Every structure is written in structure tokens, then in C-alpha cells.
Amino acid sequence: MRSKVLNYIVETFGFTDWADYANSAFHGKQMGLFLSGSLMVSTLNAAIRDYLGLKPVLVCAIILLLVLELATGLMTIKRKEGEKFESKKFSRFSLKAFMWSAWIFIAYSFRDQFIDTNLAAFELFDWIHTGLLVYMFLEYLISVDENVAKITGKPNTFLTIVITKLKSFLNIK
């Protein structure tokens, strides 16, 4: 009954039936691919935002940093003569990425638990969540920097220079 009513309505606008209208409005088969891709991305975005407390731009930056670390690590392995790529090293990379995600999830879950009930606990876990993100960023950035130093053969990379100047400024030996 409903399809007859819908067909009647769209026929008054020059379409042969509801399927013809849907194909014209949503571009048929092509839209199915875009719609499913869009649904996957928005679901993933919502899950990451709700469970890890990360905005999409930060997730893109983290993924870029992970890809850089993996790529420079693979280039370092390739540069060493006689050393082959081992799946064990890739497994280590995957385990570290998983563990960072788990720690960030745990800290954000605790932070979220106390958002309305306990300001001190909320602030503590918010600080831990942010601290983990900063530490993860520095850890992977230093790893990329060390890999670039091994690839280029130059020990004075950007981070080495910054750390040396910071130690000098703070009188740390």
C-alpha cells in the first residue's frame, strides 16, 4: 500500500517509480559505496571520540606519526646490510600501538567516570590522559628522530640539538 502511494507521488514529478526517484536522488549503486564508507568513518569517529577522548584531527596526527615511525623503522632495517624484515618487529610495533591505545582508553574512562561526581578525581585522570598523550607523542617522535639519524648517518638530528640546548639552558649534565 505504501509503495503505491510513494510511486504515485514520485510519478507526478516525472519519475517512473520510487526506484527511479531513488536512483536519481542518490545516484544508485555509487551512493551505496559512499554511504557505507561514510557510515563506517562516522561510526569510527564517534567511537574514538567517546572511548579515547580524541578529536579526529589528533587521530590523524597520531596515525601519521605511527606511519612515520613504522616507515623510518623499515628504512633503518633496510639500510643495515644483511638484516631482513622480521614479523616479530612488526608485532612489537603493533603491540606498542595497542598498549598505548589501551592506556589512553583506561585513563579516559576513569576521567569520564568522575566528570560530574568528583572534581579532584576528574582533574587527576584528565591530567593522566593528557600526560599519556604527550608522552606517547614524544616517545614516537624521538623514535622517528633516532631512525632518521640511523638512516642519514648524522647523529645531530633536530631533537638531539633541541635536547642538548634544553639541557644547557637548564644546567643539566
Side-chain angles (χ1 to χ4, degrees), residues 7 17 23 26 34-35 37 39 65 71-72 79 89 94 102 110 127 129 133 135 137 148 159 162 165 168:
N7 283 339
D17 58 8
N23 187 39
F26 302 112
F34 292 124
L35 185 60
L39 286 173
L65 190 56
T72 57
R79 185 160 166 75
K89 290 185 179 184
S94 301
F110 274 84
W127 181 82
H129 180 254
L133 288 170
Y135 188 80
F137 166 75
V148 168
L159 275 178
V162 169
K165 289 186 179 195
S168 173

Side-chain angles (χ1 to χ4, degrees), residues 45-55 58 100-115 121-122 124-133:
N45 175 31
I48 288 171
R49 193 177 283 253
D50 289 348
Y51 296 116
L52 296 177
L54 306 176
K55 293 181 180 177
L58 182 59
W100 278 112
S101 298
W103 292 331
I104 291 167
F105 165 74
I106 291 167
Y108 188 73
S109 297
F110 274 84
R111 173 204 171 274
D112 207 34
Q113 179 66 34
F114 297 110
I115 199 164
F122 169 79
L124 172 69
F125 288 110
D126 189 51
W127 181 82
I128 291 171
H129 180 254
T130 303
L132 283 170
L133 288 170

Side-chain angles (χ1 to χ4, degrees), residues 6 11 48 83-84 94 96 130 137 139-140 157 162 164:
L6 291 176
E11 285 170 3
I48 288 171
E83 189 173 336
K84 295 180 181 176
S94 301
K96 287 192 311 187
T130 303
F137 166 75
E139 187 74 27
Y140 279 105
T157 58
V162 169
T164 304

Side-chain angles (χ1 to χ4, degrees), residues 152-171:
T152 61
K154 297 178 183 177
N156 287 336
T157 58
F158 173 72
L159 275 178
T160 308
I161 293 167
V162 169
I163 291 170
T164 304
K165 289 186 179 195
L166 185 62
K167 283 182 177 179
S168 173
F169 177 75
L170 297 173
N171 282 334

Side-chain angles (χ1 to χ4, degrees), residues 26-62:
F26 302 112
H27 302 290
K29 295 176 185 174
Q30 300 159 348
M31 190 52 131
L33 177 65
F34 292 124
L35 185 60
S36 62
S38 174
L39 286 173
M40 285 185 349
V41 168
S42 50
T43 301
L44 186 63
N45 175 31
I48 288 171
R49 193 177 283 253
D50 289 348
Y51 296 116
L52 296 177
L54 306 176
K55 293 181 180 177
V57 172
L58 182 59
V59 172
C60 291
I62 289 171

